[in-house]
């Protein structure tokens, strides 16, 4: 007997039986015990033919190679910086990855990045023991000056960015702010103070209403009402 | 036998559960059963210090059980840190550890803080029940939720969910258990009092059955928090 116990987009809790029988395949976030497939964490179910996948709705950020994240300097070492990634582990930014300048031995590294500085950096390596390397060499990677940093749940970042960046582009358009979204859930907003607040409000609204249908429309309405500007929704380019 | 609060022998006290009650935590939950209220907050995974506790193979689950200073009647157990709370922190940890999977977090720790604001027996059980909801809310990988409750023996009869008067004044045998439904395993079993082997077996069967009632409440509370967001279009 093969029976599916849940529907697509159902919210499930750990240990909940998703399907019975060997006809289904457990994918990410699920496991098989005897002949049942059960959920391994709290999340939303996505059934694709015979494959059952669980999309997590909460949880800490898990560092992944290639992610562009907003980091904060927490310590300065002999030849690099230790940065906070908003995950369980800190990362190291080596001298070579930080700048193309020649840095003499024993130079004062705070002239590049000081404590509490925020940067947008890219993860280059994650080991099995979760030692993380980040780099500042690459397009768009830089120190963030001014503006404000807000944080959202890292699992909601894809919704904040939207399809091909449509959502964040819309917020940028409406508020005339510079916005950079890090995969780790840190978001940098820079613009007029009132506009920054509006952008923050909009992003918090997106976070709160992520996973609702018609999210783009409701955010569009919200922003149009607040700014009395006509907005166009289109796919932009945003990392 | 008539129970002092008018319940049937196998009837639990009224329960409420809520998830996401502590804003600063990564996950949190409240569980109230009769006159016992437990709050659990999960922090982490995060850096683990002191360093000698770090395990390069998997993360550590660290539980801390505490009764708030004003929580009890002040007559038997005294709130605050001590031998008793240390022991309960340990059994809580052991009760929850079999379900959580922290292999993704080497050298890190997941802290579970359990605070009891009101106590009327069954605090460790309420704590474990709240903690497993909080862990799920924090997005920790786990095989199942853990449910805990106490069964007991009073005047030769089995009772479910021993309350404060039965425990302290009437001298019921108090048997707190924690149950993992998907594995059909018991991860906490303590006995305070006397009970025969046969009666203990019966008590455990009753406990398992009653735990499933609490399980439904846990599931409902967790789903409520997240489906709200989906519904409010």
């Amino acid at each position: 007997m093969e029976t599916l116990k849940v529907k697509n987009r159902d919210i499930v809790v750990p240990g909940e039986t998703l399907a019975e029988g060997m006809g289904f395949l457990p994918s990410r976030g699920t496991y098989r015990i005897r002949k049942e497939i059960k959920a391994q964490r709290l999340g939303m179910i996505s059934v694709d033919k015979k494959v059952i996948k669980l999309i997590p709705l909460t949880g800490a950020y898990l560092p992944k190679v290639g992610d562009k994240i907003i980091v904060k300097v927490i310590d300065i070492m002999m030849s690099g910086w230790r940065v906070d990634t908003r995950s369980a582990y800190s990362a190291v930014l080596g001298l070579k990855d930080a700048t193309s300048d020649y840095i003499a031995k024993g130079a004062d590294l705070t002239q590049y990045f000081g404590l509490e500085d925020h940067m947008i950096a890219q993860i280059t390596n994650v080991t099995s023991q979760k030692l993380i390397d980040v780099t500042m060499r690459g397009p768009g990677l830089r120190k963030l000056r001014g503006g404000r940093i807000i944080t959202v749940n890292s699992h909601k970042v894809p919704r904040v960015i939207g399809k091909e960046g449509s959502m964040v582009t819309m917020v940028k358009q409406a508020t005339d702010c510079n916005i950079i979204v890090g995969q780790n859930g840190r978001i940098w907003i820079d613009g007029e103070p009132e506009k920054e607040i509006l952008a923050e409000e909009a992003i918090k609204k997106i976070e709160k209403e992520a996973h609702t249908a018609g999210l783009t429309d409701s955010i569009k309405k919200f922003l149009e009402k607040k700014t009395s500007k006509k907005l166009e929704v289109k796919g932009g380019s945003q990392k | 036998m008539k129970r002092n609060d008018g319940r049937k022998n196998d009837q639990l006290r009224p329960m409420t559960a809520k998830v996401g009650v502590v804003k600063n935590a990564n996950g949190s939950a409240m569980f109230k059963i009769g006159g016992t209220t437990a709050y659990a907050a999960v922090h982490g995974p995060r850096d683990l210090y002191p360093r000698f506790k770090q395990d390069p193979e998997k993360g550590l689950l660290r539980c801390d059980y505490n009764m708030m200073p004003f929580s009890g009647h002040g007559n038997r157990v005294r709130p605050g840190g001590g031998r008793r709370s240390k022991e309960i922190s340990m059994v809580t940890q052991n009760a929850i550890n079999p379900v959580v999977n922290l292999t993704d977090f080497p050298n890190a720790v997941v802290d579970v803080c359990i605070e009891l604001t009101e106590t009327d027996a069954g605090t460790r059980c309420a704590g474990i029940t709240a903690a497993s909801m909080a862990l799920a809310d924090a997005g920790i990988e786990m095989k199942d939720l853990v449910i805990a409750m106490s069964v007991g023996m009073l005047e030769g009869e089995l009772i479910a969910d021993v309350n404060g008067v039965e425990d302290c004044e009437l001298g019921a045998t108090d048997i707190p258990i924690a149950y993992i439904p998907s594995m059909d395993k018991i991860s906490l079993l303590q006995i305070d009092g006397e009970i025969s082997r046969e009666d203990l077996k019966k008590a455990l069967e009753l406990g398992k059955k009653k735990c499933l009632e609490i399980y439904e409440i846990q599931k409902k509370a967790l789903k409520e928090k997240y489906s709200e967001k989906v519904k409010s279009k």
Side-chain angles (χ1 to χ4, degrees):
Chain A
M1 262 307 272
E2 286 167 18
T3 42
L4 196 62
K5 297 263 177 179
V6 288
K7 290 192 301 292
N8 220 355
R9 291 177 72 84
D10 267 3
I11 308 285
V12 295
V13 301
E16 194 166 340
T17 308
L18 308 178
E20 279 170 7
M22 300 302 279
F24 290 97
L25 288 173
S27 178
R28 200 180 58 185
T30 63
Y31 70 102
R32 173 170 274 149
I33 179 168
R34 290 180 295 271
K35 285 196 168 172
E36 292 175 346
I37 293 177
K38 287 179 181 283
Q40 205 166 17
R41 54 191 295 184
L42 199 142
M44 200 169 75
I45 285 301
S46 140
V47 187
D48 185 10
K49 286 181 195 130
K50 293 283 166 191
V51 181
I52 302 175
K53 196 170 77 178
L54 189 145
I55 303 158
L57 294 176
T58 70
Y61 168 68
L62 276 179
K64 218 164 63 242
V65 173
D67 276 4
K68 287 185 179 170
I69 58 174
I70 294 180
V71 297
K72 184 176 86 178
V73 177
I74 51 171
D75 200 4
I76 300 168
M77 301 183 295
M78 196 70 109
S79 58
W81 293 263
R82 184 160 287 282
V83 294
D84 172 59
T85 58
R86 210 168 166 260
S87 74
Y89 306 92
S90 57
V92 172
L93 172 64
L95 266 189
K96 273 189 181 148
D97 289 319
T99 165
S100 49
D101 292 6
Y102 169 74
I103 301 175
K105 218 176 182 181
D108 178 20
L109 295 185
T110 53
Q111 59 181 309
Y112 297 96
F113 307 113
L115 291 173
E116 303 281 305
D117 276 353
H118 283 84
M119 295 96 87
I120 170 106
Q122 190 167 25
I123 299 180
T124 51
N125 194 16
V126 181
T127 70
S128 67
Q129 296 314 104
K130 308 279 174 176
L131 300 171
I132 310 167
D133 282 332
V134 292
T135 182
M136 297 285 295
R137 286 180 174 219
L141 303 181
R142 62 190 175 93
K143 185 166 158 179
L144 302 172
R145 291 184 171 85
R148 64 176 70 198
I149 300 271
I150 63 167
T151 52
V152 296
N153 182 333
S154 65
H155 293 282
K156 308 281 164 67
V157 165
R159 298 311 299 262
V160 174
I161 292 174
K163 258 196 197 108
E164 288 167 4
S166 56
M167 188 73 84
V168 74
T169 315
M170 187 169 77
V171 181
K172 278 183 192 170
Q173 240 180 36
T175 60
D176 296 318
C177 285
N178 274 323
I179 301 175
I180 294 178
V181 184
Q183 290 292 333
N184 57 345
R186 281 208 183 103
I187 299 171
W188 177 75
I189 306 169
D190 182 35
E192 304 269 312
E194 300 81 40
K195 299 280 181 64
E196 277 181 15
I197 292 169
L198 177 61
E200 185 174 342
E201 248 178 79
I203 289 167
K204 287 285 171 199
K205 194 171 157 71
I206 298 169
E207 187 196 10
K208 215 173 131 206
E209 293 172 15
H211 300 290
T212 56
L215 180 64
T216 316
D217 288 339
S218 83
I219 299 299
K220 191 178 162 199
K221 259 184 219 146
F222 169 79
L223 285 170
E224 277 176 346
K225 204 175 129 199
K226 289 272 177 172
T227 56
S228 50
K229 244 202 266 188
K230 201 91 193 105
L231 292 172
E232 280 175 59
V233 183
K234 58 180 178 207
S237 59
Q238 154 84 23
K239 57 233 138 243
Chain B
M1 182 190 69
K2 198 162 187 292
R3 291 177 77 171
N4 72 317
D5 53 5
R7 279 184 290 154
K8 291 194 198 101
N9 280 0
D10 67 344
Q11 194 182 352
L12 305 176
R13 289 175 283 177
M15 294 173 274
T16 35
K18 201 162 185 265
V19 173
V21 288
V22 182
K23 213 182 153 201
N24 279 340
N26 296 86
S28 60
M30 182 276 282
F31 181 70
K32 180 174 164 67
I33 179 159
T36 301
T37 310
Y39 284 83
V42 173
H43 298 276
R46 61 182 178 187
D47 266 349
L48 172 56
Y49 293 105
R51 218 170 153 172
F52 70 84
K53 284 193 176 164
Q54 291 185 355
D55 182 348
E57 283 185 351
K58 60 176 178 8
L60 175 80
L61 180 77
R62 186 162 59 181
C63 298
D64 183 46
Y65 163 101
N66 185 37
M67 276 164 65
M68 305 218 82
F70 49 79
S71 61
H73 303 290
N75 49 5
R76 194 175 67 105
V77 281
R78 301 187 62 189
R83 194 216 93 249
R84 178 177 175 277
S85 63
K86 227 174 172 177
E87 177 202 307
I88 296 177
S89 301
M90 186 202 75
V91 297
T92 304
Q93 199 167 306
N94 292 348
I96 300 173
N97 234 338
V99 296
V100 296
N101 173 17
L102 295 176
T103 46
D104 270 350
F105 303 106
N107 295 326
V109 64
V110 174
D111 275 313
V112 184
C113 305
I114 301 164
E115 294 285 341
L116 281 303
T117 52
E118 263 187 298
T119 57
D120 183 28
T123 54
R124 71 196 71 190
C125 301
I128 291 169
T129 307
S132 75
M133 285 195 285
L135 282 164
D137 183 38
I140 305 290
E141 237 177 56
M142 52 205 288
K143 285 193 183 127
D144 206 343
L145 297 169
V146 185
I147 313 117
M149 64 163 295
S150 68
V151 281
M153 189 86 180
L154 183 61
E155 292 167 19
E157 288 181 44
L158 279 179
I159 51 173
D161 189 21
V162 183
N163 69 24
V165 175
E166 287 166 338
D167 187 18
C168 307
E169 290 168 27
L170 305 175
T173 305
D174 183 23
I175 311 168
I177 64 167
Y179 180 54
I180 306 167
S182 67
M183 298 189 245
D184 192 25
K185 291 244 158 86
I186 284 173
S187 61
L188 165 78
L189 176 60
Q190 295 182 303
I191 300 176
D192 178 12
E194 285 178 10
I195 191 164
S196 70
R197 182 188 285 258
E198 283 69 38
D199 284 339
L200 179 60
K201 278 186 188 157
K202 277 185 216 150
L204 292 184
E205 285 314 309
L206 173 70
K208 282 184 187 177
K209 206 175 90 198
K210 288 286 142 185
C211 275
L212 294 178
E213 274 179 34
I214 305 177
Y215 190 41
E216 292 307 316
I217 289 175
Q218 278 183 320
K219 281 205 253 186
K220 204 176 137 224
L222 282 165
K223 285 187 182 180
E224 243 165 37
K225 178 183 169 189
Y226 290 92
S227 17
E228 240 172 54
K229 294 176 182 167
V230 179
K231 264 184 235 149
S232 59
K233 279 174 192 173

